Amino acid sequence: MDIFDPAIFPVLAADGLTNGAVYALLALALVLVFAVTRVVFIPQGELVVFGTLTLAALQLGRVPGTLWLLLGLLALAAVLEAATQVRRGQAGRGLLTLAGAAGVGGVVWALTTWAAPLGWPLWAQALLTLALVTPLGPLLYRTVYQPLRDATVLVLLIASVALHLALTGLALVFFGPEGSRTPPFAPGTQTLGQVTLSNQSLLVILLSAGLMLGLFFFFGRTMAGKALRATAVNRLGARLVGISPASAGLLTFTLAALIGAVGGMMIGPSVALNYDSGFLIGLKGFIGAIIGGLVSYPLAAAGALLVGLIESFASFSLSAWKEVIVFTLILPVLLWRSLTTRHVPEDEE
Amino acid sequence: MNGRLVLSVVAAAVALALPLVLPLFQVTLLVNILIFAVVAVGLVLLTGIVGLTSFGQAAFMGVSAYTTALLTTQAGWNPWLALPAGLALTGLVAWLLGLLTLRMQGHYLPLATIAWGMSLYYVFGNTPALGGFTGLTNIPPLAAFGMNLTSPRAFAYLALLALGLTALGAQFLLSSRTGRAMRALRSGPLVAEAFGVNAFRLRVQVFVLAALMAGLAGWLYAHSQRFVNPTPFSLQAGIEYLFMAVVGGSGYVWGALLGSGLITGLREWLRGVLPELLGAQGNFEVIVFGVLVILTLQFARRGLWPLLERVLPQAPLRLLPERNRLPARQKPVPGTPLLTVEHAVKQFGGLRAVNDVSFELRAGEILGLIGPNGAGKSTLFNLVTGVNPATSGRVTFMGRDITRLTAGQIHRLGLSRTFQHVHLLPELSLLENAMMGGYARGRAGLLASLLHLERREEAALQHEALRQLERVGLEEQAHILAGNLPLGQQRVLEVARALVADPALLLLDEPAAGLRYGEKGELAALLRRLRDEGVTVLLVEHDMDLVMGLVDRLVVMNYGEKLAEGTPSEIRAHPAVREAYLGADVSGEEVA
Amino acid sequence: MTAQLAGTPLLEVRGLHTRYGRVEALGGVSLEVPAEHIVSVIGANGAGKTTLLNSVMGILTPAAGEVFYAGEPLRGVPPEARVARGITLVPERRELFASMTVADNLQLGAYTRRRGGWRSDLDGVYARFPRLAERRRQLAGTLSGGEQQMLAIGRALMARPRLLLLDEPSLGLAPLIVRDILRIVQGLREEGVTVLLVEQNARASLAISDEGYVLETGRVRLSGPAHELARDEALGASYLGGEGRAQGA
């Protein structure tokens, strides 16, 4: 059978679109994070894995290890923040920060340990997963990247890779080596003419499209979204209108983690993920992001969709080589970018 | 004998004794540390010196390791013959990757190496001829002096030799013409290209060199383990090599060994401790590595070696005996046209930053280019130096049309410049900084530099640089680090560096910016001396005191156009110039 | 506008030293900006004028000395927090959001004023700069130099500053546009905005100012009421070099 068989082609295309939609979301997050903070956010894929595996743990009635990571980072971030405040002579505020963090941490701990064994419905567990994974973004920004804010892109990239490794190792500690799937949010199938599509695939495509529209609205219409764009366009200009780079960074990483967590729960039913799957998934988003030159959102999303499709067709005809094909794809993309990027000499005043 | 040399001898003696005195298990570990350090030395050159990075060094090791494994087990090659084959293949791959990515911003190379490291791992694992994920076994041992290096103790000496040669080559390279150019690349191509370095080609060369070092390590690794599988060549291994360089100190050759020792030793120890602690099996050490690297970047960005380096005795730079002088340039006859700008236009989008400017500079004169901020002086400067060519018009220098030439080509014709924001290599001595100016007068390439076959040329450069330092009055400080100079002297050092190129024309870009009164006075005295020696100078400057007392003629720019041209006294009396500087006299008008 | 305590200037700079690495750009600058005055700082290029404004804004951290705003020291307060306190800088390079529309640029100017009211201010800016109203949907990067300067000032006004720092608003602009812009600055004083104006264009800026300071190599060379400074012979010498230096020192 070849891939153009009318019985096969639409199935592969639908698979490709489903995964491609998730990669596209990741690509958007990567472009956003890079534009606002200059961080090449390699650990984006780990946030996807944390999304899937946290939900899977809740499904089994276990307390997900994500909780301990969240609490640890919260404590560290609170101490760093309080120390900064004390150094500025605001000791009272520092204490307040510590107390606030302890309060929030306590509530999250109590809620998670109480709810985990109760076997809540899927949607409620999904919300709890979002509540556990999304804060990882800003906390990682505060503890890892903010102290490096004056560093070069290269140093930030090395820090990202280091963080990726640390998170992979922690995922292994928390979730063990086995792969997990999560249940589909929409079981069943739809038949459109000759083509049968799972409802979950439709949901993923619709949800991705919805999220992208939401982001489009956020960046185009809201003050916070415009402030992020402004920071990406001109960091100094943004500071001069009162946008603090740190709060822009925190917001960006919050969005990135949110996208990661949602992506993880969307891709969870179709692919079994384990602790170290995040890197591959994140990289596929990256190829999309690189197609967009790390600056163009529509090109990045389109590129990521293409990656999903290529991967889907490759996995049918050359399954063992699918990763090779996907990653070798980066070479012609880089060649294209290399030939189209105008060499700009750095500015000498 | 100096302290540094004593220390080196002691270290070498300890290194030679270690394989004999350590228990066998630790000798095996030592072999790995030495092999990994060879990889990390390549990353020091690439990351710490040039400012690029790669996560694909393990994959390069893999190419070479699999080549030797295949050739020795399947084709019956002698391992020593398989080494050049493996290196050739590794170099070829690196060259292609470099060509693809190194024209773009720095972060594309590491991203490409991530993808390449990832794919290669799957290629190794999925190719039956390469043994799939199980790998290839029965790789023959290396033989030397009629004996097989099967024991780790014997192999350790080979690994020591390999690391010793690699590190020595790297040290040689860093103290050479090419090494200085590599360091100059770190802050971007602008400075390097102004002295005739082909930045793109040099980056590709260093990337290939780093890959070849990884290739050498891969070959050693294959023959020390005597089997290969994909795991040690995975992306994760590639990441760990970068960690070694970062933690050890990516700007220092010996940081590579320190990092390799730390990470390899730590991994061994953690692999024993962590699974017990966590009650499960797995690569938990990556958590510690990740956190360690983040902390290193946050608190000791240059790595751990510099902390050690501070307490070690420093080796003074050795002056080589001068055997011949560098050939001098044929200078143009004073009074003849040297630089001609005709109807130059530079358009940026809708803005004409330079609009139809023409002037001529004759050999032997000092011409000042002045104008209010935003008048287009810097743009005009960039267009003469080849940094950003003109949209239309013509620039002629030394009788050649240079309108479309690159900065490096124009420099080789005899134009030498200084920078508005001082661009020196703060970690090098004044002498070495000045020698950078003579880059285009030497020709030793990467290979000659690596083997120190360019010592005659290096000696000539050293003495030329010393002469120019003496000319500007910095000879006393020749051996201190440029970063320790006050700004005034840094600017003077830039002038000396430009003079080492033996230029026909010296371009000074706001040499007085940021200087104090006293420093300005010294700079003016130096420039006056150079003028009296017949050096031709084009001076872009804001400081009127400096300009008026120095130049023969002035060109004044405003709104991208030439406003006036003439002698200092003509210019001072020029009403349009007074207006451009002091603004239109609106005090008589009603403004509210 | 809250009235300032009598005798306390809105901005006071005391013995400010600022360095770039080893380069000292400001060598002990002191000046005062009384509330609802326009104070000009003039001087040749490289004199440290931009450094002074950037230090007041907090973009650069002074090595020594102190900046007081409404009587309070600003040490350790980041620039974005200074905006919230009522200090706004229109920088020399304008630092607009080039790939965003004129309207978005202006809206972002009101970023620190989350409580709203910015829409009426937007109309105010459009009334002041009708050119911007015509181009509200256009990207900031496509504006002409003069329009960009108007946008930069308009964006700064959206923050409703008490103290406006203007860095070379005349830079690269044709004389007619310069006059328009200075006229607008003069109008702002009537509305209660205090202005610290840095200019190379000495005559034009002194003409609209109450007080003036002449900066040379990071130090104040001359200061006094603006109309007196404008007549000072030493001023010309400070720009064009040569004669008159002795009187200036």
Side-chain angles (χ1 to χ4, degrees):
Chain A
M1 265 194 306
D2 74 305
I3 54 173
F4 295 110
D5 186 304
I8 305 289
F9 186 85
V11 177
L12 292 179
D15 261 13
L17 279 181
T18 314
N19 288 342
V22 176
Y23 301 153
L25 279 178
L26 299 182
L28 292 183
L30 290 167
V31 174
L32 173 67
V33 169
F34 183 75
V36 176
T37 64
R38 300 178 303 127
V39 171
V40 176
F41 194 44
I42 307 273
Q44 181 71 48
E46 268 71 53
L47 293 171
V48 174
V49 165
F50 273 88
T52 310
L53 297 185
T54 302
L55 184 59
L58 288 172
Q59 282 281 307
L60 295 171
R62 292 188 194 142
V63 174
T66 321
L67 176 65
W68 312 123
L69 178 60
L70 175 62
L71 294 179
L73 286 173
L74 183 65
L76 188 58
V79 168
L80 284 175
E81 196 60 39
T84 312
Q85 286 162 340
V86 168
R87 238 178 291 132
R88 273 197 204 143
Q90 304 163 316
R93 262 219 217 159
L95 276 180
L96 213 63
T97 303
L98 290 179
V104 171
V107 169
V108 173
W109 173 79
L111 179 70
T112 311
T113 45
W114 169 70
L118 295 184
W120 276 2
L122 185 60
W123 63 267
Q125 289 185 338
L127 284 182
L128 185 57
T129 302
L130 282 184
L132 287 173
V133 177
T134 309
L136 295 181
L139 290 174
L140 288 173
Y141 176 75
R142 180 64 190 87
T143 50
V144 176
Y145 295 105
Q146 202 178 315
L148 292 171
R149 62 189 168 272
D150 59 337
T152 59
V153 172
L154 186 68
V155 166
L156 291 169
L157 173 64
I158 295 173
S160 278
V161 169
L163 179 60
H164 144 72
L165 270 198
L167 288 178
T168 311
L170 286 171
L172 176 61
V173 175
F174 295 150
F175 305 111
E178 306 82 22
S180 300
R181 279 176 192 264
T182 52
F185 288 87
T189 55
Q190 292 285 327
T191 307
L192 303 163
Q194 280 188 307
V195 188
T196 305
L197 272 178
S198 72
N199 284 342
Q200 174 71 16
S201 289
L202 282 174
L203 182 75
V204 168
I205 293 169
L206 286 177
L207 197 59
S208 302
L211 255 175
M212 281 180 215
L213 271 179
L215 285 175
F216 188 73
F217 175 81
F218 175 72
F219 287 121
R221 292 269 179 270
T222 67
M223 184 71 115
K226 285 179 187 178
L228 284 192
R229 273 168 65 207
T231 310
V233 175
N234 186 335
R235 213 172 302 268
L236 177 60
R239 297 192 81 177
L240 291 178
V241 299
I243 304 166
S244 101
S247 60
L250 289 173
L251 180 55
T252 307
F253 272 74
T254 309
L255 282 174
L258 178 73
I259 287 174
V262 172
M265 290 188 280
M266 291 198 303
I267 209 169
S270 56
V271 191
L273 296 186
N274 66 2
Y275 71 99
D276 69 351
S277 315
F279 196 56
L280 282 178
I281 297 174
L283 270 187
K284 286 166 194 164
F286 251 109
I287 296 174
I290 289 175
I291 291 176
L294 287 176
V295 285
S296 162
Y297 295 90
L299 269 182
L305 272 180
L306 185 69
V307 170
L309 287 171
I310 290 177
E311 179 193 33
S312 169
F313 289 113
S315 67
F316 178 73
S317 40
L318 290 158
S319 71
W321 295 92
K322 110 184 163 178
E323 312 293 3
V324 179
I325 290 171
V326 171
F327 291 119
T328 313
L329 187 69
I330 202 171
L331 296 180
V333 170
L334 286 171
L335 178 64
W336 168 64
R337 283 231 76 91
S338 168
L339 294 176
T340 53
T341 306
R342 219 165 48 83
H343 174 68
V344 188
E346 80 210 279
D347 205 281
E348 168 75 8
E349 178 76 334
Chain B
M1 224 159 63
N2 66 64
R4 186 86 176 192
L5 193 60
V6 174
L7 206 71
S8 310
V9 170
V10 172
V14 171
L16 286 173
L18 276 181
L20 292 178
V21 299
L22 287 178
L24 196 60
F25 163 73
Q26 289 183 13
V27 176
T28 314
L29 194 62
L30 178 71
V31 168
N32 281 343
I33 291 176
L34 295 171
I35 294 177
F36 297 161
V38 172
V39 185
V41 168
L43 276 175
V44 163
L45 296 179
L46 187 66
T47 305
I49 306 299
V50 179
L52 295 167
T53 206
S54 158
F55 296 102
Q57 297 312 95
F60 289 126
M61 274 180 88
V63 171
S64 159
Y66 268 93
T67 307
T68 194
L70 214 58
L71 289 177
T72 52
T73 57
Q74 314 289 316
W77 282 41
N78 181 314
W80 292 97
L81 285 178
L83 174 62
L87 289 181
L89 193 57
T90 314
L92 181 71
V93 175
W95 182 67
L96 288 174
L97 271 178
L99 283 188
L100 274 182
T101 54
L102 286 171
R103 275 187 206 282
M104 294 183 286
Q105 282 157 306
H107 48 269
Y108 281 99
L109 177 69
L111 289 177
T113 58
I114 286 180
W116 127 261
M118 206 83 197
S119 338
L120 197 75
Y121 175 77
Y122 287 106
V123 170
F124 288 148
N126 288 315
T127 308
L130 298 178
F133 285 100
T134 13
L136 295 168
T137 50
N138 296 324
I139 298 175
L142 289 173
F145 308 112
M147 67 173 201
N148 278 339
L149 302 179
T150 39
S151 124
R153 292 192 201 277
F155 202 91
Y157 285 101
L158 181 66
L160 263 178
L161 182 69
L163 176 63
L165 290 178
T166 311
L168 194 67
Q171 298 278 27
F172 277 4
L173 181 59
L174 289 180
S175 61
S176 74
R177 168 182 181 266
T178 311
R180 288 185 292 274
M182 283 163 56
R183 286 189 197 269
L185 280 181
R186 203 179 151 74
S187 58
L190 183 77
V191 182
E193 291 191 336
F195 290 102
V197 180
N198 184 333
F200 171 65
R201 196 173 65 193
L202 185 57
R203 279 182 182 164
V204 174
Q205 281 180 348
V206 176
F207 182 57
V208 169
L209 178 66
L212 289 179
M213 290 181 175
L216 171 65
W219 176 78
L220 284 170
Y221 190 76
H223 291 286
S224 86
Q225 300 287 320
R226 311 222 1 236
F227 90 98
V228 291
N229 71 350
T231 315
F233 312 122
S234 68
L235 182 63
Q236 185 176 323
I239 292 171
E240 284 179 14
Y241 290 119
L242 184 65
F243 285 2
M244 291 175 190
V246 168
V247 172
S250 63
Y252 306 83
V253 171
W254 293 113
L257 180 60
L258 178 67
S260 166
L262 273 176
I263 296 274
T264 313
L266 194 62
R267 174 170 41 217
E268 209 54 39
W269 179 68
L270 290 172
R271 281 202 174 149
V273 178
L274 285 184
E276 215 167 296
L277 203 70
L278 295 165
Q281 289 300 319
N283 293 345
F284 298 120
E285 70 272 8
V286 294
I287 306 172
V288 179
F289 289 171
V291 173
L292 179 68
V293 168
I294 291 171
L295 291 176
T296 305
L297 292 176
Q298 287 182 351
F299 295 104
R301 199 164 299 168
R302 281 144 49 86
L304 300 179
W305 183 263
L307 308 179
L308 212 65
E309 177 94 7
R310 227 180 287 156
V311 298
L312 293 180
Q314 298 299 308
L317 184 81
R318 211 157 44 89
L319 276 186
L320 304 165
E322 182 174 30
R323 283 196 268 160
N324 57 316
R325 283 196 172 207
L326 295 168
R329 189 187 308 279
Q330 184 76 44
K331 298 292 187 310
V333 183
T336 55
L338 180 62
L339 175 76
T340 319
V341 177
E342 294 161 88
H343 306 293
V345 171
K346 181 71 197 184
Q347 189 99 21
F348 292 113
L351 177 76
R352 278 206 165 184
V354 170
N355 191 5
D356 195 19
V357 172
S358 304
F359 67 87
E360 189 181 79
L361 169 65
R362 287 182 287 275
E365 75 170 336
I366 297 201
L367 181 71
L369 179 60
I370 62 169
N373 210 339
K377 301 185 301 291
S378 290
T379 315
L380 186 61
F381 196 100
N382 283 343
L383 158 170
V384 170
T385 49
V387 172
N388 214 338
T391 313
S392 68
R394 210 170 110 96
V395 185
T396 321
F397 175 61
M398 295 281 277
R400 286 203 33 197
D401 184 344
I402 59 162
T403 320
R404 301 270 154 240
L405 296 192
T406 64
Q409 290 167 323
I410 297 174
H411 173 73
R412 282 172 193 274
L413 286 176
L415 186 149
S416 201
R417 67 174 289 191
T418 65
F419 297 89
Q420 195 179 118
H421 304 283
V422 171
H423 282 293
L424 292 168
L425 300 169
E427 74 279 12
L428 293 188
S429 67
L430 269 62
L431 179 63
E432 289 167 286
N433 269 286
M435 286 166 76
M436 180 70 213
Y439 181 86
R441 297 178 79 182
R443 53 168 65 102
L446 187 90
L447 192 64
S449 300
L450 203 63
L451 301 173
H452 265 191
L453 296 176
E454 37 53 290
R455 291 291 94 180
R456 181 188 277 258
E457 185 183 288
E458 182 81 356
L461 269 172
Q462 276 183 352
H463 288 272
E464 178 65 19
L466 275 178
R467 274 190 289 274
Q468 299 304 336
L469 286 176
E470 205 178 310
R471 193 173 176 190
V472 303
L474 285 175
E475 74 276 14
E476 298 285 313
Q477 290 113 302
H479 294 284
I480 70 167
L481 299 187
N484 293 340
L485 284 185
L487 181 81
Q489 294 189 328
Q490 291 195 353
R491 290 217 190 268
V492 171
L493 175 56
E494 282 216 335
V495 174
R497 179 175 68 180
L499 288 172
V500 175
D502 189 26
L505 171 61
L506 188 60
L507 251 74
L508 304 177
D509 192 357
E510 299 196 19
L515 296 196
R516 299 154 186 261
Y517 272 124
E519 293 175 330
K520 276 185 194 171
E522 284 163 28
L523 181 75
L526 167 65
L527 296 181
R528 223 165 274 137
R529 215 163 54 236
L530 292 178
R531 176 188 63 185
D532 297 340
E533 291 171 22
V535 180
T536 314
V537 178
L538 176 60
L539 174 69
V540 176
E541 184 52 69
H542 283 305
D543 190 277
M544 290 299 172
D545 276 343
L546 186 78
V547 172
M548 292 292 184
L550 194 66
V551 301
D552 300 310
R553 286 188 308 129
L554 277 163
V555 170
V556 187
M557 287 185 68
N558 200 18
Y559 300 118
E561 294 178 1
K562 187 167 86 176
L563 186 68
E565 185 173 354
T567 64
S569 50
E570 286 166 3
I571 293 298
R572 205 181 270 131
H574 202 292
V577 176
R578 287 189 80 87
E579 185 157 319
Y581 270 88
L582 293 173
D585 192 344
V586 289
S587 53
E589 276 178 66
E590 192 60 45
V591 265
Chain C
M1 215 47 45
T2 42
Q4 222 29 65
L5 282 173
T8 317
L10 182 62
L11 179 77
E12 188 186 352
V13 174
R14 225 182 266 165
L16 209 59
H17 289 257
T18 303
R19 313 169 182 280
Y20 299 96
R22 298 176 154 266
V23 191
E24 188 173 79
L26 292 182
V29 171
S30 299
L31 56 82
E32 292 185 359
V33 183
E36 295 174 39
H37 279 220
I38 298 179
V39 173
S40 278
V41 174
I42 55 182
N45 241 297
K49 304 185 303 289
T50 296
T51 308
L52 173 66
L53 286 196
N54 285 345
S55 306
V56 170
M57 195 62 211
I59 295 166
L60 295 173
T61 310
E66 191 61 85
V67 177
F68 295 91
Y69 172 69
E72 283 182 38
L74 287 178
R75 181 168 296 270
V77 180
E80 53 274 13
R82 295 184 193 204
V83 177
R85 291 197 190 185
I87 309 177
T88 307
L89 168 68
V90 179
E92 186 184 328
R93 290 159 165 254
R94 288 141 202 182
E95 308 292 351
L96 298 171
F97 308 120
S99 60
M100 299 175 77
T101 64
V102 168
D104 281 349
N105 269 273
L106 290 173
Q107 187 191 343
L108 283 163
Y111 179 81
T112 51
R113 296 170 43 219
R114 287 292 174 86
R115 280 181 292 281
W118 61 270
R119 278 177 198 284
S120 61
D121 286 16
L122 191 60
D123 294 336
V125 169
Y126 285 147
R128 208 186 289 271
F129 302 104
R131 297 282 287 170
L132 294 183
E134 289 165 28
R135 296 173 188 269
R136 65 179 81 192
R137 295 274 153 250
Q138 206 170 314
L139 298 185
T142 64
L143 298 181
S144 74
E147 290 162 351
Q148 290 198 4
Q149 189 60 54
M150 293 175 197
L151 179 56
I153 295 176
R155 185 181 72 178
L157 293 179
M158 290 295 291
R160 282 208 190 159
R162 280 179 76 192
L163 173 63
L164 184 64
L165 311 173
L166 283 171
D167 196 353
E168 303 235 9
S170 75
L171 187 63
L173 301 184
L176 269 178
I177 302 174
V178 173
R179 214 168 57 189
D180 284 349
I181 284 179
L182 291 180
R183 223 169 247 169
I184 284 163
V185 172
Q186 210 170 15
L188 289 175
R189 174 179 52 189
E190 313 306 320
E191 296 165 33
V193 180
T194 307
V195 179
L196 178 57
L197 171 64
V198 150
E199 257 302 337
Q200 198 175 303
N201 194 330
R203 286 188 190 133
S205 61
L206 286 176
I208 62 159
S209 300
D210 300 292
E211 289 90 25
Y213 290 80
V214 179
L215 220 56
E216 229 179 273
T217 350
R219 288 181 172 79
V220 175
R221 285 287 143 189
L222 295 168
S223 67
H227 59 277
E228 284 177 23
L229 268 188
R231 285 197 298 268
D232 200 314
E233 273 304 306
L235 181 62
S238 156
Y239 274 86
L240 292 178
E243 313 85 31
R245 161 80 56 221
Q247 301 157 36

